[in-house]
Amino acid sequence: MERTVYGVVGAATVLYFSLQLLLHLTQDKREPTALATSIPFLSPIFGMSKKKSKFYIELRDKYRLPIYTLRLPGSRLYVINSSALISAVQKQHRVLAFMPIIAKGSIKVSRFSKTGAKIISTNTNGEDGEGGYVNSFHDAIHPAVSPGKNLDAMNRLMLGLVAAQFDHEAAHGNQNVKLFEWIKQQIGQATTDSVYGPGNPFRDSAIEKAFWTFKGGMSTLILDFPDWAAKDAIKALDTGAAALEDYFKADLHRKGTALVQARFDHSSAHGMPLNDIARSEFTNLVALLANTVPASFWMIYHIYSDPQVLADCRAELASAIIFTNGKNVIDMSQVKSSCPIFLSTFKEVLRHHSTTVAAREVMEDFLLNDQYLLKKGSTVMMPGPVQHTFEDVWGADVNAFNYKRFAVPDQHKFTASFRAFGGGSTLCSGRHFATTEILAFTAVMLMRFDVKPAAGRWVQPTENKVDFWEATAGPDDDVEVEIGPVKGRNAEGAWQFTLSESDKPIELSAEDMLAGKQ
Ligand code: HEM
């Protein structure tokens, strides 16, 4: 028995030192420093799965390096802390590319036919010139979601829907709801109705449910679990795709917004089979809802749970409302231009709850900033939460929720480090639509309803269950609340939104900030 124990310990020791040696010998001196890990090749996997994006914050604080290497079995991750190096990466979008990652990911997640998969994986990185399905996707949808008449039309529809939904809710009087579930339904309906139009397949609760089941199982598809282990997600995907296929067959997208039409036309132009177009559309809903829902939840949570935040936001919003012809009219253009505390609260929500980690594939050996060798086939990772928690940028209260943080004259210094919508070639193209929706939803909610925790006091839920691919964390557990109409201040009257001006871009990223200065 004793000999067996000595044998096992001996073998483990030899294995450990062999792996350390392997790591040492295969790491080029010019590569970013490889972090010493307790179990070579495996510790980073445990750290990432247990601590999620907090893992990178811990490593930043422990080693204080601008960039470092994490070695995994068969691959290398280069993790970047320095914002200057992030800019350098973003300038190299062909050598340090995102599109090959998205192509591989979308094939796994959407389970395209062979034809569809071939179309997606052709010319992903512009290697054969212009065109290529994923390579041209951004430009194809850009006109539909950038500030201008298409975005205004989609916003107007969405605002009308939000107003109508709240009329319906107000008619219920006081009600007890699970806050996250309730917001999921409200935002889900308003978003899908405005994007898909009168034929919206997600009005069918079975299809809506299929989407959330699919989203819950997406990691099993990305990580290539066997079909039996991913069966719920696969079934939900097939159900959603069948509904969308019927929607497209009946040409109902022609009554939807420019966004759904642009996506359909882009896929058709590349010869995608209809069922694959439907699969792609179903998975695209993740971009539309997966961040907007948790961001709206945290807005509501942070504002209602602090009476001072609530009072300040309500006072600002009151100035954007006029009472006319028996109606409260809230001007979203004015909300965006004249409610700095409310806008700041939104950005602070995203700074706190963003979990985004931007990734790039290294297409060939490359010397970043003439200094760091990045090896072909490796992955560059740029965790947003690292940028969101530098004390020298955000100040001594970096870990506090300071709702006025962005409402200062020199807020540019914060915006430059704000990565909730990503940056560079993968900067979120839906950020303006999402922002208008979240602000509109929250604004009317604040003015029409009081929200009280059923437990008597607010307790902030944890957010450890967030999946590794998600960009905004939702709560681990729902919060039970009582929602009831606000009395007085004409709040009981009908409500309506206007957009007095075309949707102007507000500063949601370093890119918006530079565009505004030009
Ligand atoms: C609060 C809401 C949202 C947040 C926090 C958010 C966040 C992000 C982030 C972090 C990225 C970059 C991903 C990366 O670099 O790996 C991204 C990309 C993207 N997002 Fe969003 N997003 C939001 C809402 C939306 C909405 C509503 C849409 C659709 C209308 C959308 C469409 C996209 C698309 C298409 C991309 C890929 C880049 C491109 O081709 O434009 N997002 N988003």
Side-chain angles (χ1 to χ4, degrees):
M1 175 68 186
E2 213 169 273
R3 277 177 60 181
T4 317
V5 172
Y6 282 134
V8 170
V9 171
T13 311
V14 170
L15 181 65
Y16 174 81
F17 283 108
S18 310
L19 288 175
Q20 288 288 16
L21 188 65
L22 178 69
L23 202 147
H24 184 73
L25 292 178
T26 53
Q27 183 79 13
D28 193 306
K29 281 199 189 67
R30 294 167 300 162
E31 284 184 83
T33 310
L35 296 191
T37 49
S38 43
I39 312 173
F41 300 101
L42 293 183
S43 291
I45 300 180
F46 299 140
M48 284 186 285
S49 23
K50 192 166 162 223
K51 299 178 184 165
K52 316 281 168 62
S53 54
K54 292 191 190 89
F55 180 58
Y56 307 110
I57 298 178
E58 270 185 34
L59 293 182
R60 175 200 64 191
D61 294 343
K62 187 166 174 194
Y63 295 97
R64 308 220 156 254
L65 290 165
I67 180 170
Y68 55 87
T69 309
L70 290 176
R71 299 287 300 270
L72 310 184
S75 69
R76 291 161 150 78
L77 305 179
Y78 301 121
V79 185
I80 301 189
N81 291 328
S82 144
S83 57
L85 289 180
I86 291 180
S87 298
V89 167
Q90 288 180 174
K91 286 183 189 133
Q92 300 293 337
H93 64 275
R94 292 274 185 243
V95 186
L96 306 174
F98 180 64
M99 292 309 153
I101 298 181
I102 198 74
K104 285 176 220 155
S106 75
I107 290 169
K108 288 181 188 182
V109 163
S110 303
R111 297 170 66 89
F112 292 123
S113 68
K114 275 197 179 128
T115 312
K118 190 159 176 246
I119 293 168
I120 297 280
S121 36
T122 301
N123 191 15
T124 52
N125 199 30
E127 56 276 20
D128 297 326
E130 292 304 303
Y133 185 95
V134 290
N135 198 28
S136 54
F137 179 78
H138 179 89
D139 288 349
I141 64 161
H142 203 251
V145 283
S146 303
K149 72 175 176 21
N150 287 328
L151 181 61
D152 286 346
M154 191 155 84
N155 277 336
R156 286 208 164 89
L157 259 170
M158 177 268 292
L159 295 174
L161 290 159
V162 169
Q165 277 174 212
F166 278 147
D167 283 344
H168 180 77
E169 293 301 321
H172 284 322
N174 285 15
Q175 46 175 330
N176 286 326
V177 298
K178 290 193 162 129
L179 189 58
F180 189 73
E181 267 310 303
W182 186 79
I183 290 175
K184 208 160 102 175
Q185 247 177 19
Q186 303 289 332
I187 294 279
Q189 275 313 309
T191 310
T192 54
D193 266 358
S194 55
V195 171
Y196 295 103
N200 175 17
F202 297 92
R203 277 196 193 154
D204 177 345
S205 59
I207 307 302
E208 189 202 339
K209 194 163 164 248
F211 169 72
W212 292 109
T213 306
F214 167 74
K215 189 207 152 243
M218 245 174 71
S219 300
T220 59
L221 298 173
I222 301 173
L223 296 173
D224 276 333
F225 279 30
D227 281 8
W228 59 263
K231 68 177 187 323
D232 291 346
I234 295 173
K235 192 167 163 228
L237 170 65
D238 292 344
T239 306
L244 277 156
E245 193 173 343
D246 291 344
Y247 169 83
F248 287 126
K249 266 188 196 147
D251 263 345
L252 293 171
H253 56 294
R254 295 296 167 210
K255 295 183 182 146
T257 44
L259 177 62
V260 62
Q261 299 193 37
R263 290 206 286 232
F264 180 86
D265 293 342
H266 174 70
S267 296
S268 305
H270 282 85
M272 283 280 258
L274 190 61
N275 184 264
D276 287 330
I277 299 182
R279 285 173 178 277
S280 164
E281 189 58 44
F282 190 68
T283 55
N284 266 315
L285 205 59
V286 172
L288 268 174
L289 293 178
N291 297 298
T292 310
V293 170
S296 305
F297 169 85
W298 291 117
M299 272 296 268
I300 299 291
Y301 175 84
H302 283 290
I303 296 177
Y304 281 99
S305 62
D306 184 331
Q308 191 59 53
V309 186
L310 181 61
D312 285 352
C313 289
R314 276 183 171 163
E316 265 192 355
L317 290 168
S319 68
I321 297 168
I322 46 168
F323 190 68
T324 174
N325 297 331
K327 276 188 178 167
N328 292 285
V329 182
I330 182 160
D331 182 353
M332 280 315 292
S333 309
Q334 209 182 324
V335 168
K336 285 174 159 189
S337 60
S338 327
C339 297
I341 295 180
F342 185 55
L343 274 186
S344 170
T345 309
F346 170 62
K347 290 184 189 173
E348 184 69 347
V349 158
L350 288 179
R351 184 181 78 88
H352 268 266
H353 300 286
S354 168
T355 50
T356 181
V357 181
R360 302 286 188 269
E361 183 173 331
V362 184
M363 305 305 288
E364 56 193 59
D365 281 5
F366 181 72
L367 207 55
L368 182 65
N369 252 13
D370 291 330
Q371 201 178 355
Y372 300 105
L373 175 68
L374 309 181
K375 287 200 166 174
K376 180 179 174 179
S378 310
T379 307
V380 174
M381 316 263 282
M382 298 170 281
V386 164
Q387 298 304 314
H388 290 171
T389 52
F390 274 119
E391 196 174 325
D392 54 353
V393 174
W394 303 97
D397 69 344
V398 59
N399 294 322
F401 185 88
N402 174 357
Y403 68 110
K404 291 186 183 168
R405 186 183 303 281
F406 290 86
V408 288
D410 61 342
Q411 62 159 293
H412 290 325
K413 71 172 189 225
F414 296 140
T415 308
S417 298
F418 182 71
R419 302 268 311 167
F421 291 103
S425 60
T426 57
L427 175 65
C428 173
S429 43
R431 66 195 182 285
H432 299 296
F433 176 67
T435 299
T436 305
E437 181 168 27
I438 296 165
L439 295 181
F441 179 84
T442 316
V444 180
M445 183 84 194
L446 296 188
M447 301 315 279
R448 292 197 76 167
F449 299 98
D450 283 322
V451 180
K452 292 187 193 125
R457 68 186 184 95
W458 290 99
V459 180
Q460 183 166 337
T462 52
E463 47 203 288
N464 301 322
K465 292 184 193 157
V466 57
D467 276 324
F468 67 90
W469 57 266
E470 290 188 279
T472 315
D476 290 343
D477 298 299
D478 216 333
V479 179
E480 292 204 27
V481 295
E482 187 190 7
I483 297 183
V486 168
K487 304 269 182 291
R489 281 193 286 106
N490 304 318
E492 301 96 328
W495 282 74
Q496 199 186 327
F497 286 102
T498 57
L499 272 175
S500 63
E501 293 170 42
S502 180
D503 200 17
K504 287 212 193 81
I506 53 175
E507 283 186 0
L508 299 167
S509 63
E511 285 82 347
D512 295 329
M513 196 176 86
L514 289 174
K517 281 185 180 164
Q518 277 161 10

